[in-house]
Amino acid sequence: MQLSQEQPGDLRATVNAVLTLDALAGVIFSAMKQIEHPTVVSMKRDDEFRDLLAERCHEFRALRDLAAAYKHGELTNPKKKQPRLLAGPERLNRVENQIGVLECDDEIEGFVLVVELIDESFLRASSVIGVSYQLLAPIVDEVDPLHTRWQA
């Protein structure tokens, strides 16, 4: 994940971080189910937990949809409570870093990855990853303060 933040134009690092954080949401759900956390006690699937997180955080919603697009190729499930923000993995694009996507500490004339949403807006991929991590990290700390479930 760190590499996706340090090199925001690296497709491999970004896709790896997106898939890892999406998987982490599933692992957190499982850990919360084991301790019968009230947030998830009535949920049957980790998708319901991801949907709850997506309702709370626009960036996580984009991350969830991008991860699903990489896993399934195309997103067309009309039964979803929340419409998808993107239709497929081709919506992650490398663009020249210029006004509109430029952030402090960026290389001038470099490239970054952006997630192009269905409504024609975009989110910088490194921001989607960073904000999603900030959403998930405190939940990990709450569920397992000593991080005993997360050690290799």
Coordinates of all heavy atoms in Angstrom, one line a residue, residues 103-148:
E103 N -1.1 17.3 -6.5 CA -1.1 17.5 -5.0 C 0.3 17.9 -4.6 O 1.3 17.7 -5.3 CB -1.5 16.1 -4.4 CG -2.9 15.8 -4.6 CD -3.3 14.5 -3.8 OE1 -2.4 13.8 -3.2 OE2 -4.5 14.1 -3.9
C104 N 0.4 18.4 -3.4 CA 1.7 18.7 -2.8 C 2.6 17.5 -2.9 O 2.2 16.4 -2.8 CB 1.5 19.1 -1.4 SG 0.7 20.7 -1.2
D105 N 3.9 17.8 -3.1 CA 5.0 16.8 -3.1 C 4.9 15.9 -4.4 O 5.7 15.0 -4.5 CB 5.0 15.9 -1.9 CG 5.2 16.6 -0.6 OD1 5.9 17.6 -0.6 OD2 4.7 16.2 0.4
D106 N 4.1 16.2 -5.3 CA 4.1 15.5 -6.6 C 5.2 15.9 -7.5 O 5.7 17.1 -7.4 CB 2.8 15.7 -7.4 CG 1.6 14.9 -6.9 OD1 1.8 14.0 -6.1 OD2 0.5 15.2 -7.3
E107 N 5.6 15.0 -8.3 CA 6.6 15.4 -9.4 C 5.9 16.2 -10.5 O 4.8 15.8 -10.9 CB 7.2 14.1 -10.0 CG 8.1 13.3 -9.2 CD 8.6 12.1 -9.9 OE1 8.8 12.2 -11.2 OE2 8.8 11.1 -9.3
I108 N 6.5 17.3 -10.9 CA 5.9 18.0 -12.0 C 6.1 17.2 -13.2 O 7.2 16.6 -13.4 CB 6.6 19.4 -12.1 CG1 6.4 20.2 -10.8 CG2 6.1 20.2 -13.3 CD1 5.0 20.5 -10.4
E109 N 5.2 17.2 -14.1 CA 5.2 16.4 -15.4 C 5.2 14.9 -15.2 O 5.5 14.2 -16.1 CB 6.4 16.8 -16.2 CG 6.4 18.3 -16.6 CD 7.7 18.7 -17.3 OE1 8.5 17.8 -17.7 OE2 7.8 19.9 -17.6
G110 N 4.8 14.4 -14.0 CA 4.7 13.0 -13.8 C 3.3 12.5 -14.1 O 2.5 13.3 -14.7
F111 N 3.0 11.3 -13.8 CA 1.7 10.7 -14.1 C 1.1 10.2 -12.8 O 1.8 9.8 -11.9 CB 1.8 9.6 -15.1 CG 2.1 10.0 -16.5 CD1 3.4 10.2 -16.9 CD2 1.1 10.3 -17.4 CE1 3.7 10.7 -18.1 CE2 1.4 10.7 -18.6 CZ 2.7 10.9 -19.0
V112 N -0.2 10.2 -12.7 CA -1.0 9.7 -11.6 C -2.1 8.8 -12.1 O -2.5 8.9 -13.3 CB -1.5 10.7 -10.6 CG1 -0.4 11.5 -10.0 CG2 -2.5 11.7 -11.3
L113 N -2.7 8.0 -11.3 CA -3.8 7.2 -11.6 C -5.1 7.8 -11.1 O -5.1 8.3 -9.9 CB -3.7 5.8 -11.1 CG -2.6 5.0 -11.8 CD1 -2.2 3.7 -11.0 CD2 -3.0 4.6 -13.2
V114 N -6.1 7.9 -11.9 CA -7.4 8.4 -11.4 C -8.5 7.3 -11.7 O -8.4 6.6 -12.7 CB -7.8 9.7 -12.1 CG1 -6.8 10.8 -11.7 CG2 -7.9 9.6 -13.6
V115 N -9.5 7.4 -10.9 CA -10.7 6.5 -11.0 C -11.7 7.4 -11.7 O -12.2 8.3 -11.0 CB -11.2 5.9 -9.7 CG1 -12.4 5.0 -9.9 CG2 -10.0 5.2 -9.0
E116 N -12.1 7.1 -12.9 CA -13.1 7.9 -13.6 C -14.5 7.2 -13.3 O -14.8 6.1 -13.5 CB -12.9 7.9 -15.1 CG -11.6 8.6 -15.5 CD -11.3 8.5 -16.9 OE1 -12.2 8.2 -17.7 OE2 -10.1 8.8 -17.3
L117 N -15.4 8.1 -12.7 CA -16.7 7.6 -12.2 C -17.7 7.7 -13.4 O -17.5 8.4 -14.3 CB -17.1 8.4 -11.0 CG -16.1 8.4 -9.9 CD1 -16.6 9.2 -8.7 CD2 -15.7 7.0 -9.4
I118 N -18.8 7.0 -13.2 CA -19.9 7.0 -14.2 C -20.4 8.4 -14.5 O -20.7 8.8 -15.6 CB -21.0 6.1 -13.8 CG1 -20.6 4.7 -14.0 CG2 -22.3 6.4 -14.6 CD1 -21.6 3.6 -13.5
D119 N -20.4 9.3 -13.5 CA -20.9 10.7 -13.7 C -19.9 11.6 -14.3 O -20.1 12.8 -14.3 CB -21.4 11.2 -12.3 CG -20.3 11.5 -11.3 OD1 -19.1 11.3 -11.6 OD2 -20.6 11.9 -10.2
E120 N -18.8 11.0 -14.8 CA -17.8 11.8 -15.5 C -16.8 12.5 -14.6 O -15.9 13.2 -15.0 CB -18.3 12.8 -16.5 CG -19.2 12.2 -17.6 CD -18.5 11.3 -18.6 OE1 -17.3 11.7 -18.9 OE2 -19.0 10.3 -19.0
S121 N -17.0 12.5 -13.3 CA -16.1 13.0 -12.3 C -15.0 12.0 -12.1 O -15.0 10.9 -12.6 CB -16.8 13.4 -11.0 OG -17.2 12.2 -10.3
F122 N -14.0 12.3 -11.3 CA -12.9 11.4 -11.1 C -12.4 11.6 -9.6 O -12.6 12.6 -9.0 CB -11.7 11.5 -12.1 CG -11.0 12.8 -12.0 CD1 -9.9 13.0 -11.1 CD2 -11.4 14.0 -12.7 CE1 -9.3 14.2 -11.0 CE2 -10.7 15.2 -12.6 CZ -9.7 15.3 -11.7
L123 N -11.8 10.5 -9.1 CA -11.1 10.6 -7.9 C -9.6 10.1 -8.1 O -9.4 9.2 -8.9 CB -11.7 9.6 -6.8 CG -13.1 10.0 -6.4 CD1 -13.7 8.8 -5.6 CD2 -13.2 11.2 -5.6
R124 N -8.7 10.8 -7.5 CA -7.3 10.3 -7.6 C -7.2 9.0 -6.8 O -7.7 8.8 -5.7 CB -6.4 11.4 -6.9 CG -5.0 11.2 -7.2 CD -4.2 12.4 -6.6 NE -2.9 12.0 -6.4 CZ -1.8 12.7 -6.8 NH1 -2.0 13.8 -7.4 NH2 -0.6 12.3 -6.5
A125 N -6.6 8.0 -7.5 CA -6.5 6.7 -6.9 C -5.8 6.6 -5.6 O -6.2 5.9 -4.7 CB -5.9 5.7 -7.9
S126 N -4.7 7.4 -5.5 CA -4.0 7.4 -4.2 C -4.8 8.0 -3.1 O -4.7 7.5 -1.9 CB -2.7 8.2 -4.3 OG -3.0 9.5 -4.7
S127 N -5.8 8.9 -3.4 CA -6.7 9.4 -2.3 C -7.7 8.3 -2.0 O -8.1 8.2 -0.8 CB -7.4 10.7 -2.8 OG -6.4 11.7 -3.0
V128 N -8.2 7.6 -2.9 CA -9.2 6.5 -2.7 C -8.5 5.5 -1.7 O -9.2 5.1 -0.7 CB -9.6 5.9 -4.0 CG1 -10.3 4.5 -3.7 CG2 -10.5 6.8 -4.8
I129 N -7.3 5.2 -2.0 CA -6.6 4.2 -1.1 C -6.3 4.8 0.3 O -6.6 4.1 1.3 CB -5.3 3.8 -1.8 CG1 -5.6 3.0 -3.1 CG2 -4.4 3.0 -0.9 CD1 -4.5 2.8 -4.0
G130 N -5.8 6.0 0.3 CA -5.4 6.6 1.6 C -6.6 6.8 2.5 O -6.6 6.5 3.7
V131 N -7.7 7.3 1.9 CA -8.9 7.6 2.7 C -9.6 6.2 3.2 O -10.0 6.1 4.3 CB -10.0 8.4 2.0 CG1 -11.3 8.5 2.7 CG2 -9.4 9.8 1.8
S132 N -9.6 5.3 2.3 CA -10.1 3.9 2.7 C -9.3 3.3 3.8 O -9.8 2.7 4.7 CB -10.1 3.0 1.5 OG -11.0 3.5 0.5
Y133 N -8.0 3.4 3.7 CA -7.1 2.9 4.8 C -7.5 3.6 6.1 O -7.6 3.0 7.2 CB -5.6 3.1 4.5 CG -4.8 2.7 5.6 CD1 -4.5 1.4 5.9 CD2 -4.2 3.7 6.5 CE1 -3.7 1.0 6.9 CE2 -3.4 3.3 7.6 CZ -3.2 2.0 7.8 OH -2.4 1.6 8.9
Q134 N -7.6 5.0 6.1 CA -8.0 5.7 7.3 C -9.3 5.3 7.8 O -9.6 5.4 9.0 CB -8.0 7.2 7.0 CG -6.6 7.8 6.7 CD -6.6 9.2 6.2 OE1 -7.6 9.8 5.9 NE2 -5.4 9.8 6.1
L135 N -10.2 4.9 7.0 CA -11.5 4.3 7.4 C -11.4 3.0 8.1 O -12.0 2.8 9.2 CB -12.5 4.2 6.2 CG -13.8 3.5 6.5 CD1 -14.7 4.5 7.3 CD2 -14.5 3.2 5.2
L136 N -10.6 2.1 7.6 CA -10.4 0.7 8.1 C -9.5 0.6 9.3 O -9.8 -0.2 10.2 CB -10.0 -0.2 7.0 CG -10.9 -0.4 5.8 CD1 -10.2 -1.2 4.7 CD2 -12.2 -1.0 6.2
A137 N -8.5 1.4 9.4 CA -7.5 1.2 10.4 C -8.1 1.3 11.8 O -7.8 0.5 12.7 CB -6.3 2.2 10.3
P138 N -8.9 2.3 12.1 CA -9.5 2.4 13.5 C -10.4 1.2 13.8 O -10.6 0.8 15.0 CB -10.3 3.7 13.5 CG -9.9 4.4 12.3 CD -9.3 3.5 11.3
I139 N -11.1 0.6 12.8 CA -11.9 -0.5 13.0 C -11.1 -1.7 13.4 O -11.4 -2.5 14.3 CB -12.8 -0.8 11.8 CG1 -13.6 0.4 11.4 CG2 -13.7 -2.0 12.0 CD1 -14.4 0.3 10.0
V140 N -9.9 -1.9 12.7 CA -9.0 -2.9 13.1 C -8.6 -2.8 14.6 O -8.6 -3.7 15.4 CB -7.7 -3.0 12.2 CG1 -6.7 -3.9 12.8 CG2 -8.1 -3.4 10.8
D141 N -8.2 -1.5 15.0 CA -7.8 -1.2 16.3 C -9.0 -1.5 17.3 O -8.7 -2.0 18.4 CB -7.4 0.2 16.5 CG -6.1 0.5 15.8 OD1 -5.3 -0.5 15.5 OD2 -5.8 1.7 15.5
E142 N -10.2 -1.2 16.9 CA -11.3 -1.5 17.8 C -11.6 -3.0 18.0 O -11.8 -3.5 19.1 CB -12.6 -0.8 17.3 CG -13.8 -1.1 18.1 CD -15.1 -0.7 17.4 OE1 -15.1 0.1 16.5 OE2 -16.2 -1.2 17.9
V143 N -11.5 -3.7 16.9 CA -11.9 -5.1 16.9 C -10.8 -6.0 17.6 O -11.0 -6.9 18.3 CB -12.1 -5.6 15.5 CG1 -12.2 -7.1 15.4 CG2 -13.4 -5.0 14.9
D144 N -9.5 -5.6 17.4 CA -8.4 -6.3 17.9 C -7.2 -5.4 18.2 O -6.3 -5.2 17.5 CB -7.9 -7.3 16.8 CG -6.9 -8.3 17.3 OD1 -6.6 -8.4 18.5 OD2 -6.3 -9.0 16.4
P145 N -7.3 -4.7 19.4 CA -6.3 -3.7 19.8 C -4.9 -4.1 19.7 O -4.0 -3.4 19.5 CB -6.7 -3.3 21.2 CG -8.1 -3.8 21.4 CD -8.3 -4.9 20.4
L146 N -4.6 -5.4 20.0 CA -3.3 -5.9 20.0 C -2.8 -6.5 18.6 O -1.7 -6.9 18.5 CB -3.1 -7.0 21.1 CG -3.3 -6.5 22.5 CD1 -3.2 -7.7 23.5 CD2 -2.4 -5.4 22.9
H147 N -3.8 -6.4 17.7 CA -3.5 -6.9 16.3 C -3.1 -8.4 16.3 O -2.3 -8.8 15.4 CB -2.5 -6.0 15.6 CG -3.0 -4.6 15.4 ND1 -2.5 -3.8 14.5 CD2 -3.9 -3.9 16.0 CE1 -3.0 -2.6 14.5 NE2 -3.9 -2.6 15.5
T148 N -3.6 -9.2 17.2 CA -3.2 -10.6 17.2 C -3.7 -11.4 16.0 O -3.2 -12.3 15.6 CB -3.7 -11.3 18.5 OG1 -5.1 -11.1 18.6 CG2 -3.0 -10.7 19.7

